[in-house]
Amino acid sequence: MAQPRVLVIGGGLAGLSATMRLAELGVGVDLVSLVPVKRSHSVCAQGGINSVNASTRQQGDNEWKHFDDTVYGGDFLQHQPPVKEMADWAPRIIDLMDRLGVPFNRTPEGFRDQRRFGGTLYKRTAFAGATTGQQLLYSLDEQVRRWEVEGRVKKWEFWDFLEPVLDDDGRCIGAVCQDMVTMKFRAFPADAVILASGGCGLLYGRSTMSMICTGSAVSRAYQAGVKYANAEFIQVHPTAVPGADKLRLMSESARGEGGRVWVPRTPQDPRDPKDIPTSERYYFLEERYPQYGNLVPRDIATREIFDICTTDGLSVEQDRLCVYLDLTHIPRETLDRKLGGILEIYEKFQGVDPRDTPMKIFPAVHYSMGGLWVDYEKSASGGLAEGSPRNQQTNIPGLYAIGECDYQYHGANRLGANSLLSCIFSGLFCASGVIAGAGRGGKEHGRLFNAAVKRQEDRHQAILSRPPGESNPYDIHGKLGDVMTRAATVVRRNDQLSQAYDEVCRLEDLWRHCSLSDTGNWTNQNVVFTKSLGDMFPIAKLILKGALLRDECRGAHYKPEFAMPGIAATDPVEQRAEAEQWCDRFEANTRKWLKSTIGTHGADGHPVITYEDVDTTLIPPRPRLYGLVGGEVIEEVWKERQAEAAEPAAVGAGS
Amino acid sequence: MIRAVDNGELVAGQQAAASQPREIRVRVLRQDAPGEESYWERFTLPYEPNMNVISVLQRIAALSKSHDGRHVAPVAWDCSCLEEVCGSCTMLINGRVRMACSSLVDNLFEESPGEIELRPMTKFPVVRDLCVDRSRLFRSLERVKAWVSVDDSYDHGPGPRISPEEQEDAYPLATCISCGCCMEACPQFNKIELGRREGETEEAFETRKQEAYDKQFLGPHAISQAMLFNGHPTGKMNADERMEALTGQGGIQMCGNAQNCVAVCPKRIPLTRSIARAGRAATVWAIKKFFDR
């Protein structure tokens, strides 16, 4: 039997690890990317990659606890078998990356060093300076280059994925892509297509994401019939550095290495931060979350920073929202060794040395937990059945999704240093199943490919030949970003969400008539951008609709109207009664809302939302009580209830 | 309770610079396609504090009008991460090769107040405007086999033990973002621009380009990458193959020791240290080869 040929869309960590593994298994790969793959957005990941390691293991850590931290941090919204499998693979993945030459920081004895990240109490995070994503990506890029020289991989860089091509039975048999230099279209017949196209942050205007993170590839798959899940779960990173063109990430590793977040107790204290004595500084995360301190999960840190600036009015500056992230108590040589890369970014773009002066930071849109719906096959041990073609496959047979563009691993909130892991894991793990499920190719379907190419050429021509003088796509993008940032980030309110939905629809109408300033057919970035802008609207609508319908608080999705405040009473009996009510409400909410939001693209252009149960058979959902007032009373009541209900013990608990 | 911010932005304005110019005058050396004549086009846009060259180009794209109000196509340029780690946005800014994202307008105004000049790199073929074809840069990485030749991607336990000193030596070399600044600044690195011949297939054209690249200088970045992998405990097992490339046509002997590369590297990679090491290794290699004949 001839070896199958696979088309991979996107050359970040997920796309490259899938390509490497497929090539190694003898499969020819066409790798399509908007940019040379070495420039993919994974380079921006800074802090590190999580796994249980020899040191944490001897402090009582294990794969099960990594799995538990991930689902607890994600507010139980993810199916548990894939997450368990990922946590099980994590130590092997880091070993592999180590072998590929990633220059992980070392201990004096020459072992890999680890640091602590948010949402865990263990030092699980391996790192290469503060450019871990860059280093991981480069190692995979190097391996794929090696396969390119062998002739197993063919790269198509500066190419734009336009649509998946389906046969008459609805199976994906390839795709149509466009060369962004020559503007020519080309059909790519394939035995399977893997989307690894990353996040969609650009629909928020400015974010921590790269300019290529438009989400257009996932949107095009969605519009072709792929289900999109949990769109409303968008991670807003607690610490970013505001800029006119982008909000630059300041890695969680700054806090992992001891960075402290604070504001002056006196609003907008005009003194130099170094002249403000400790007693007049409010280390609000440390005070409010004594156990996790500055390393609470991201959704919580983000809300607290947002809240301290808006509600409490304690922003460091009068006309700009920001708090201090302070590293100045850490020796310079430690900072240079462990955080050099990110401190240089701050210095370069802000003109201030963060080793001497506390940084000014504020939250920014960072990651999409939601993404294309993908399937999995559960194994007997509760993980995944390796080699199953169902793993990572969308509802369209033969079309797979991996990395940030799938929805599978992070639930309602992603823990820091888990994204690099999920990208590499899903890429490596899916390969055997992709081969097992590979079809018989699309080569004999010339008619379908010709029709698809024609469709794309017509769409392209129609956009190019719009009359001049109408509104401008860059302005529309700016407005879309404003609407989305206002309505669908840290705090969400139903009136604002439905208003934003209408505004997005209006902007989409405006887009249908916007004019191009470049109508040529050579390296026309204007038309490529305009097309990707058009494809932002379906995803923006999904995010808003999903958020509007979900009347609860879960992870990154926070609606004050449905928040469950802590215990107000001080009397122990009343406290107990309140805790009982709290747990009743929690259970009712879990029954109603512990479900994946599933969006499908309606014929009228509006999303159709349904819900799917989440597989929580390994770890029963429990309240997330980080820093909640009276949390200990609630926990006591909760544990009693669990003990009463617990006849069958938790499946396969590792400890 | 948390209330939403009303201004539609998570982040409000930035602190203002002390004395602000009112406008930014930009001169761009444009070229519509390979083989076409280049021409200057001027743009004027209002000054805003804390801009970088990327935000200047974004404003020009949104404006798509030249300084005299003529409708013009937006300037084409490459960019992605905007934080100097993807290596896309290299160009000549006020005559110096650097990254557009980390070139802040306020700093550029200290060089020439009120005015910015943008040109494409000169050592790579222009695709359009400020976009150039840097495929040769990646071809050099293939020539020196810039990778660790692992057996496979299955689990074989961790990589080799590495001392912190070795890691600290290797890490800076591994941060090369393939921007091409070092190649642009190098007097020994010359432009190769080939056109597709009539009737030539895409594949044949690619092969012909690679053959042309392979005869010419690798560039400082590739020499440094070769040293990175020759220093790695596993990578070193293929050191001979890399030395073959470094001492072959277009190898280390092309370096004229101008040291421009290290001066322009945005990541401050010790390129000349790598080149010196490669030079010494090449001498040892030549002697070894002589006696191995």
Side-chain angles (χ1 to χ4, degrees), chain A residues 21 24 38-39 99 103 110 131 135 143 211 245-246 248 311 319-320 337 348-349 362 472 518 522 525, chain B residues 1 10 13 52 62 77 80-84 86 127-128 148 152-154 162 167 171 174 178 266:
Chain A
R21 181 53 74 82
E24 195 177 303
K38 195 180 177 179
R39 311 200 191 285
R99 277 173 52 225
T131 63
Q135 295 305 313
Q143 295 301 316
M211 302 305 284
D245 52 338
K246 131 164 232 198
R248 294 182 176 83
T311 313
D319 53 357
R320 181 168 81 129
R337 199 171 68 246
K348 230 165 212 173
F349 287 93
F362 198 69
N472 170 322
D518 185 354
W522 183 266
Q525 297 179 333
Chain B
M1 270 277 288
L10 279 177
N52 57 3
W77 87 99
S80 184
C81 78
L82 312 191
E83 54 191 55
E84 208 188 67
C86 79
V127 174
R128 182 176 179 181
V148 175
D152 56 48
S153 64
Y154 293 103
I162 288 174
Q167 190 270 347
Y171 176 72
S178 300

Side-chain angles (χ1 to χ4, degrees), chain A residues 551-622:
Chain A
D551 281 338
E552 65 154 353
C553 296
R554 186 176 299 279
H557 175 70
Y558 181 76
K559 278 187 180 171
E561 203 185 332
F562 300 93
M564 288 174 57
I567 306 289
T570 48
D571 173 67
V573 179
E574 285 172 34
Q575 276 188 336
R576 175 91 201 170
E578 268 190 58
E580 291 282 358
Q581 282 169 11
W582 197 100
C583 290
D584 290 345
R585 193 175 158 195
F586 175 80
E587 286 177 350
N589 189 67
T590 300
R591 278 192 299 277
K592 181 158 186 209
W593 284 116
L594 184 53
K595 292 186 186 339
S596 310
T597 311
I598 306 293
T600 46
H601 186 61
D604 58 357
H606 295 290
V608 178
I609 304 281
T610 54
Y611 294 93
E612 250 178 43
D613 284 337
V614 178
D615 181 341
T616 57
T617 48
L618 301 173
I619 301 174
R622 60 181 189 273

Side-chain angles (χ1 to χ4, degrees), chain A residues 402-649:
Chain A
I402 56 175
E404 187 176 346
C405 78
D406 82 43
Y407 87 116
Q408 190 138 255
Y409 296 94
H410 307 296
N413 170 58
R414 176 173 68 74
L415 290 188
N418 261 354
S419 60
L420 301 182
L421 178 62
S422 63
C423 287
I424 300 175
F425 167 71
S426 56
L428 286 178
F429 188 79
C430 76
S432 55
V434 167
I435 296 171
R440 286 294 145 267
K443 292 172 198 78
E444 63 271 33
H445 291 99
R447 163 185 66 89
L448 295 171
F449 284 107
N450 291 341
V453 167
K454 177 80 173 37
R455 191 160 51 237
Q456 290 300 333
E457 282 171 349
D458 290 348
R459 181 183 188 224
H460 186 78
Q461 272 314 320
I463 293 176
L464 283 184
S465 38
R466 286 176 184 177
E470 296 291 333
S471 51
N472 170 322
Y474 304 100
D475 289 343
I476 297 174
H477 180 233
K479 286 182 186 132
L480 173 68
D482 285 347
V483 172
M484 292 303 292
T485 303
R486 197 185 311 124
T489 50
V490 187
V491 177
R492 293 149 178 213
R493 284 176 23 195
N494 285 342
D495 54 345
Q496 288 184 344
L497 288 165
S498 38
Q499 197 190 339
Y501 191 93
D502 295 342
E503 282 175 50
V504 167
C505 292
R506 267 197 295 280
L507 289 171
E508 191 178 20
D509 278 341
L510 216 56
W511 173 83
R512 289 200 182 93
H513 303 103
C514 73
S515 316
L516 296 197
S517 41
D518 185 354
T519 52
N521 245 330
W522 183 266
T523 319
N524 186 337
Q525 297 179 333
N526 193 222
V527 68
V528 172
F529 176 78
T530 303
K531 283 200 264 189
S532 67
L533 172 64
D535 291 317
M536 288 181 197
F537 296 107
I539 305 294
K541 288 192 280 188
L542 260 178
I543 293 171
L544 294 170
K545 185 94 179 273
L548 178 63
L549 295 179
R550 187 175 279 275
D551 281 338
E552 65 154 353
C553 296
R554 186 176 299 279
H557 175 70
Y558 181 76
K559 278 187 180 171
E561 203 185 332
F562 300 93
M564 288 174 57
I567 306 289
T570 48
D571 173 67
V573 179
E574 285 172 34
Q575 276 188 336
R576 175 91 201 170
E578 268 190 58
E580 291 282 358
Q581 282 169 11
W582 197 100
C583 290
D584 290 345
R585 193 175 158 195
F586 175 80
E587 286 177 350
N589 189 67
T590 300
R591 278 192 299 277
K592 181 158 186 209
W593 284 116
L594 184 53
K595 292 186 186 339
S596 310
T597 311
I598 306 293
T600 46
H601 186 61
D604 58 357
H606 295 290
V608 178
I609 304 281
T610 54
Y611 294 93
E612 250 178 43
D613 284 337
V614 178
D615 181 341
T616 57
T617 48
L618 301 173
I619 301 174
R622 60 181 189 273
R624 246 168 140 228
L625 297 170
Y626 303 104
L628 196 67
V629 179
E632 58 297 332
V633 192
I634 296 171
E635 196 176 1
E636 199 181 292
V637 171
W638 181 257
K639 282 187 173 159
E640 285 169 18
R641 289 188 182 194
Q642 292 307 103
E644 278 168 34
E647 280 92 72

